[in-house]
Amino acid sequence: MKIKRLLGATAVLVLSSSLALSSLARATTIGFSQVGSESGWRSSFSESVKQEAAARKIDLKFADAQQKQENQIRAVRGFIAQRVDAIIIAPVVETGWAPVLREAKRARIPVVIVDRNVQLNDDSLFLTRIASDFTEEGRKVARWLMQKTDGNCAIVELQGTVGATAAIDRAKGFNEVLAEYPAAKIIRSQTAEFTRSKGKEVMESFLKAEQGGRNICALWAHNDEMALGAIQAIKEAGLKPGQDILVVAVDGVPDYFKAMADGEANATVELDPHLGGPAFDVIAAYLNGDKDIAKYINNTGELFSQDTAAAEYQKRTNK
């Protein structure tokens, strides 16, 4: 009788082990809700995630939110209904996520937040966040600009999407440094939605309001795309971007490195778009039983200026 019980227990262990191995061996299905494609950086981010998923044989369900949170929430609910193994979200804005994340938690689907942040009272609603320290990005840009201008500069600011983590935190970091320099101040500030076209449009209004740009020492843009649009507006106004008006931003897209190599932009902090690999690594670890995962994984990049721009542009484009 005792032998039968032992054999029965062994059979159960073998069966449960086989089921676990079978579960881990099957193709992992992951839902990815992306902000949209408002910039070259965002498009590179999306493509890198898709390529990484293909290389790992992950069944990726990709949803482009077109910069609308309601589209993201609808997509996440769709992923939950499909019973995906995990969900990745690059949130449009920080607030309004608790209800749908609670739904994912009830369904026992782990959620990884990438790039921008979410504001929650309960951080058990997501597994981890993988992102750059946006506040430090703003600080790095401001330190470079203050050193370049001896702390004396009238600055116009192109803000990112209102309510987006990158816009909030980059402004915060930049302003922290600026507070240490009484002769430096932001004289005009407006959102340009992280897009090149709006960057050009808003910069045109800044130039008109500031005597054709003669009152402006520097442009600070929350991303490279807005800065590239602003550079076009500065040139059309008859000024030399990078000289008459210094241009600083964040992202490190190839077009901006080209602008720096051409002397039309001055500095940027690189934002690594290759977030798929780290996100998939965390999900794989969790699904394999690792529950000791940090709530924040930092991938802050370095600052680049005109000195190395040509070489970096060639490296990034193979030209």
Side-chain angles (χ1 to χ4, degrees):
M1 198 69 170
K2 193 177 284 185
I3 292 171
K4 283 184 180 179
R5 282 200 299 269
L6 286 170
L7 287 172
T10 302
V12 170
L13 284 171
V14 169
L15 178 60
S16 62
S17 296
S18 298
L19 287 171
L21 288 170
S22 167
S23 174
L24 292 174
R26 65 186 170 82
T28 303
T29 302
I30 296 176
F32 175 34
S33 175
Q34 175 62 287
V35 169
S37 54
E38 83 285 359
S39 66
W41 182 88
R42 185 71 52 186
S43 298
S44 296
F45 173 18
S46 296
E47 285 308 308
S48 74
V49 172
K50 291 175 184 177
Q51 290 169 11
E52 188 68 26
R56 297 182 186 221
K57 295 182 171 52
I58 290 168
D59 179 11
L60 186 72
K61 307 294 185 184
F62 180 84
D64 182 332
Q66 298 179 329
Q67 288 78 50
K68 295 180 180 178
Q69 187 186 38
E70 58 266 32
N71 292 343
Q72 288 202 295
I73 291 172
R74 191 180 306 116
V76 172
R77 289 200 166 114
F79 297 151
I80 295 169
Q82 293 173 64
R83 300 296 303 172
V84 298
D85 297 299
I87 295 170
I88 300 171
I89 304 172
V92 175
V93 295
E94 291 190 349
T95 57
W97 288 101
V100 74
L101 292 183
R102 277 195 289 267
E103 292 171 30
K105 184 179 180 180
R106 283 195 293 269
R108 298 187 178 182
I109 299 173
V111 174
V112 173
I113 306 298
V114 292
D115 185 33
R116 301 177 185 178
N117 202 4
V118 292
Q119 284 186 16
L120 297 166
N121 293 324
D122 180 5
D123 67 4
S124 73
L125 297 180
F126 67 97
L127 184 59
T128 188
R129 176 179 172 233
I130 302 170
S132 175
D133 183 338
F134 298 133
T135 305
E136 181 58 21
E137 288 175 346
R139 291 189 194 108
K140 285 185 176 185
V141 171
R143 289 185 196 114
W144 183 92
L145 184 59
M146 291 301 93
Q147 184 177 17
K148 185 74 174 178
T149 61
D150 294 324
N152 186 356
C153 192
I155 304 158
V156 293
E157 177 183 34
L158 294 177
Q159 300 174 15
T161 303
V162 175
T165 310
I168 295 167
D169 289 353
R170 285 171 185 165
K172 178 185 174 185
F174 190 91
N175 291 337
E176 279 179 7
V177 173
L178 216 63
E180 301 171 12
Y181 297 88
K185 62 180 180 178
I186 293 173
I187 57 174
R188 294 193 179 270
S189 182
Q190 186 175 324
T191 181
E193 301 293 344
F194 283 129
T195 67
R196 194 177 299 202
S197 59
K198 285 290 289 184
K200 182 175 186 293
E201 178 186 321
V202 176
M203 189 65 196
E204 286 171 346
S205 70
F206 287 167
L207 291 165
K208 288 175 184 175
E210 297 297 335
Q211 296 187 24
R214 288 190 293 276
N215 294 341
I216 301 170
C217 159
L219 162 70
W220 149 231
H222 290 186
N223 81 341
D224 290 348
E225 289 293 327
M226 294 187 294
L228 289 165
I231 285 169
Q232 188 59 38
I234 294 167
K235 290 197 288 188
E236 289 176 6
L239 299 173
K240 293 180 179 179
Q243 296 180 45
D244 297 327
I245 297 177
L246 301 179
V247 179
V248 294
V250 178
D251 272 359
V253 300
D255 282 356
Y256 193 88
F257 275 101
K258 177 68 164 56
M260 286 197 294
D262 292 342
E264 295 180 345
N266 301 90
T268 188
V269 174
E270 183 176 34
L271 180 62
D272 186 357
H274 302 102
L275 298 174
F280 296 145
D281 286 345
V282 165
I283 290 167
Y286 181 83
L287 295 178
N288 279 286
D290 184 359
K291 301 301 186 281
D292 187 22
I293 294 169
K295 276 295 174 185
Y296 174 59
I297 298 171
N298 189 334
N299 72 332
T300 307
E302 61 181 293
L303 184 140
F304 293 89
S305 64
Q306 290 179 351
D307 298 340
T308 57
E312 289 296 330
Y313 176 69
Q314 186 174 28
K315 183 168 74 175
R316 284 161 167 73
T317 58
N318 295 315
K319 292 182 180 179

